[in-house]
Amino acid sequence: MATLTRTTRTSTAGRARVRGRHHRGESLTKVLFVLPAAVAMLGLFGYPVVKNLLMSLQDYGLKTFFTGVAPWVGLQNYRTVVTDKLFSDAMLNTALFTIGSIAFQFAIGLGLALFFRNRFPLSGLLRSLLLLPWLLPLIVSSATWRSILEQDSGILNRTLIGLHVVNDPVPWLNSPSVALIAVIGVNIWIGIPFNVTLLYSGLSEIPDELYEAGQLDGATGWRSFWYITWPNLRSVASVLLMLGVVYTIKVLDIILGLTGGGPANATQTLATQSYEKSFVDFRFGQGAALSNILIAISFVFAIFYLRGSRRAVDE
Amino acid sequence: MRRTAYTVIGVLILCVMLFPVYWMLNASLQPSGNTLTAGFLPLHPTFSGYKRALDEQGGNLVTSMIIAAGTVVLSLAIATPCAYALSQFRSRWVSVGLLAILISQMIPGIVIANALYTAYERIGLLNSIPGLIIANCASGIPFAILILRSFMLSLPPSLVEAARVDGAGLFRAFVAIVLPISRNSLITAGLFSFLFSWSDFLFALTLTTKGGVRPVTLGIYQYLGTQVQNWNAVMATAVLSAIPAVVLLIAAQKYIAAGAIGGAVK
């Protein structure tokens, strides 16, 4: 206690002295603390965004790498990608992939988080083991699921046939009508742990007194969830949903690993399209145009979220 | 009684969720050939898959290791002072910096890959380990800043000031006092940076065009591209690639949840 007081006192006196002595060198040092990170962030995020904006307005293709020339074409790249017959499919797939993934990740995540709120032996251990799918490299998960979902020899079809749920093997990744569902399913599996973790931490911040008070007023079961849990979880939930959109909309590894965008483009999204335009067709201008559309969509969601959270603070 | 029932249900949930991970391990130990014969248990385990994986992917595992280690060092060196500044310095730029990090999370990796490919092509960083290390810092740096900052917010300013009364400059005080205290959060941020970089697939796919530098994620992808005949070798590579995730889960167990939350919310 005494030490603590002494430290505080010297530090107040010291702060004034130090400030006078080092003032100028000080602000320079402070800048040096931030400078490397600022340069890195500008180089790794600022430059790519600007470069993509420019590239999307240029005819930037394979030729450019030899001639160094990328003529300006205005909005031609945007026109080309938007009128491509694949574009509306890719938009729809992106929407289905994002909404489907997030809705189920969130719902299942919330269910599991509520379950783990019960106090029971090994709860903490089980919860941390649950994180494993989220920590695995996405391409590892893709490879594993590819083997599980294989049409003829995969364990899922063998089990389903064994249980007489289906008579013929389901072409999980080979049929245009099922592939998107399978890919969304795998992505849900990957996202559940993150949702459980965030929602569980949101739940544990709700004070027990609220539930005790609610119980006196007769709020139990669903009513206590609806009137106490949900309103108090809303801010965590909104952060989680915003992050979910921002992360899911750009997912590439899982789709490339599972289906490569096929069969017959059934799992093609804006992100995989952008990858193909740039790195398979080497039409960097068109790839950049598609990814700029992707950024614009993310920003719309972020702005909604930021406006919503500001309103929540104002209230 | 009721608590035991909860534990049983919890274990069942975990079994369902982790079944694919089990299946990866199981398939890696099955005799080579297709998985048609693969039983639910590896009753006759064979390590031929691992032998093949190490023969064909061993070099790629080493490449991934070097890239991930390099990313950790570079990310932490750049992120740590910045995290300290964002947690302790009073400036209106703090909220600008945090907003910039938030926005950076919305930039798809493919945008970064597009730009880096053209830039790397010009300066000769394509197909190089330093090129991939720099690219992977795009995930390492913002995350490390957020994790370290949320820890450093709890440091009392008097701690550093006491050292500076004794004549240490800001930077020396930072190295001598802040870094040792932050050891645990540095380890957490470092482990996550390692894992992000180790898991990277997009930059490996786009920024390497020849076989010279090939991280293991790309090796797995190429296994998947050719007709998969030997699932046991593919799954053995997958198991080997999952090791950092398992290490992270065990070593930093306590900090993972905090990390996930720190990275996401604060």
Side-chain angles (χ1 to χ4, degrees):
Chain A
M1 194 61 198
T3 346
L4 193 70
T5 333
R6 206 186 310 140
T7 324
T8 328
R9 205 179 296 144
T10 25
S11 81
T12 325
R15 202 182 303 162
R17 216 178 325 136
V18 170
R19 239 183 228 151
R21 206 194 307 156
H22 299 295
H23 193 69
R24 194 161 292 161
E26 182 101 314
S27 37
L28 183 69
T29 322
K30 284 190 173 180
V31 170
L32 288 178
F33 268 75
V34 187
L35 196 63
V39 171
M41 292 293 283
L42 280 176
L44 290 170
F45 295 103
Y47 165 73
V49 168
V50 174
K51 178 78 183 167
N52 263 262
L53 272 176
L54 296 177
M55 270 199 287
S56 73
L57 303 173
Q58 288 173 291
D59 181 11
Y60 206 116
L62 202 52
K63 252 196 293 180
T64 311
F65 291 104
F66 300 110
T67 59
V69 186
W72 296 94
V73 291
L75 295 175
Q76 187 54 48
N77 286 324
Y78 289 92
R79 243 173 268 136
T80 311
V81 296
V82 169
T83 51
D84 190 317
K85 58 184 187 310
L86 262 180
F87 182 76
S88 54
D89 286 350
M91 279 289 270
L92 181 64
N93 288 342
T94 308
L96 290 174
F97 182 78
T98 308
I99 296 169
S101 298
I102 292 174
F104 284 94
Q105 283 170 2
F106 184 84
I108 300 171
L110 181 59
L112 292 183
L114 286 169
F115 172 77
F116 280 106
R117 257 224 107 180
N118 297 308
R119 297 208 174 83
F120 56 88
L122 298 181
S123 159
L125 177 72
L126 295 177
R127 233 176 343 106
S128 46
L129 287 176
L130 195 64
L131 272 166
L132 194 55
W134 180 61
L135 296 172
L136 289 180
L138 292 175
I139 200 74
V140 167
S141 302
S142 300
T144 306
W145 277 99
R146 274 264 298 259
S147 87
I148 293 173
L149 296 174
E150 264 210 333
Q151 187 173 346
D152 295 322
S153 57
I155 188 67
L156 183 60
N157 277 342
R158 274 158 57 203
T159 309
L160 290 179
I161 289 170
L163 295 171
H164 299 288
V165 179
V166 293
N167 292 320
D168 300 307
V170 183
W172 293 111
L173 299 173
N174 305 326
S175 150
S177 53
V178 202
L180 187 64
I181 296 172
V183 171
I184 293 172
V186 173
N187 195 46
I188 292 169
W189 176 78
I190 289 165
I192 289 172
F194 184 67
N195 280 264
V196 176
T197 306
L198 277 194
L199 289 169
Y200 180 84
S201 87
L203 286 175
S204 23
E205 273 167 29
I206 303 174
D208 284 337
E209 290 82 48
L210 281 181
Y211 290 101
E212 284 156 21
Q215 230 156 27
L216 293 179
D217 295 338
T220 50
W222 277 110
R223 289 169 67 93
S224 93
F225 174 81
W226 198 243
Y227 291 109
I228 302 170
T229 311
W230 184 244
N232 283 290
L233 204 57
R234 259 212 329 238
S235 62
V236 174
S238 67
V239 173
L240 190 53
L241 293 174
M242 193 268 306
L243 283 176
V245 172
V246 166
Y247 286 125
T248 313
I249 208 168
K250 59 185 184 187
V251 162
L252 200 69
D253 315 34
I254 301 162
I255 299 176
L256 286 185
L258 283 172
T259 62
N265 293 313
T267 55
Q268 205 72 260
T269 62
L270 287 179
T272 60
Q273 271 282 287
S274 171
Y275 162 75
E276 281 204 352
K277 289 285 185 200
S278 289
F279 291 100
V280 179
D281 304 341
F282 287 104
R283 293 178 204 277
F284 279 86
Q286 294 181 16
L290 276 167
S291 50
N292 287 339
I293 295 172
L294 205 59
I295 296 182
I297 299 173
S298 297
F299 266 118
V300 171
F301 278 96
I303 289 168
F304 271 122
Y305 160 75
L306 285 175
R307 281 186 56 181
S309 62
R310 186 168 303 158
R311 198 170 306 138
V313 174
D314 289 344
E315 278 167 14
Chain B
M1 228 9 237
R2 203 169 147 180
R3 290 181 163 205
T4 321
Y6 279 131
T7 305
V8 171
I9 299 171
V11 171
L12 285 177
I13 291 172
L14 200 71
C15 287
V16 172
M17 277 298 289
L18 294 191
F19 176 76
V21 182
Y22 167 73
W23 194 252
M24 169 172 84
L25 193 63
N26 176 39
S28 76
L29 293 167
Q30 299 283 349
S32 65
N34 57 35
T35 43
L36 198 59
T37 50
F40 276 90
L41 291 168
L43 292 176
H44 308 285
T46 157
F47 288 92
S48 66
Y50 285 88
K51 190 179 174 307
R52 195 162 157 206
L54 286 174
D55 284 348
E56 294 177 4
Q57 305 275 1
N60 299 344
L61 285 163
V62 174
T63 304
S64 287
M65 194 79 80
I66 295 169
I67 292 172
T71 306
V72 171
V73 173
L74 191 59
S75 293
L76 288 186
I78 292 175
T80 315
C82 177
Y84 180 70
L86 289 179
S87 73
Q88 298 284 318
F89 298 169
R90 300 275 159 266
S91 162
R92 66 204 153 91
W93 292 100
V94 169
S95 52
V96 176
L98 291 172
L99 187 67
I101 293 173
L102 180 72
I103 292 174
S104 76
Q105 298 307 297
M106 287 165 208
I107 316 288
I110 188 70
V111 167
I112 302 171
N114 263 344
L116 290 187
Y117 183 89
T118 57
Y120 278 12
E121 207 265 341
R122 205 166 310 139
I123 53 180
L125 275 176
L126 281 182
N127 302 307
S128 77
I129 289 180
L132 286 179
I133 290 176
I134 293 171
N136 281 322
C137 281
S139 47
I141 291 175
F143 188 81
I145 292 178
L146 291 173
I147 292 263
L148 293 168
R149 175 178 176 269
S150 69
F151 169 78
M152 289 172 177
L153 279 174
S154 64
L155 296 178
S158 56
L159 213 63
V160 166
E161 276 161 12
R164 300 186 48 213
V165 170
D166 297 336
L170 188 56
F171 188 72
R172 254 186 60 201
F174 170 72
V175 172
I177 293 171
V178 176
L179 289 188
I181 294 181
S182 315
R183 203 189 64 200
N184 282 347
S185 57
L186 280 167
I187 292 173
T188 311
L191 283 168
F192 269 103
S193 303
F194 189 95
L195 189 69
F196 290 154
S197 177
W198 178 270
S199 312
D200 163 64
F201 167 66
L202 179 62
F203 294 135
L205 180 67
T206 53
L207 301 179
T208 62
T209 50
K210 290 174 268 184
V213 173
R214 184 183 293 164
V216 70
T217 47
L218 205 53
I220 294 178
Y221 184 61
Q222 276 160 351
Y223 266 162
L224 291 178
T226 54
Q227 276 301 315
V228 184
Q229 295 296 329
N230 286 294
W231 273 110
N232 72 339
V234 183
M235 288 299 107
T237 313
V239 172
L240 295 174
S241 308
I243 290 173
V246 176
V247 169
L248 184 73
L249 197 63
I250 296 166
Q253 212 223 84
K254 252 184 277 177
Y255 309 104
I256 290 177
I261 294 155
V265 184
K266 283 172 188 155

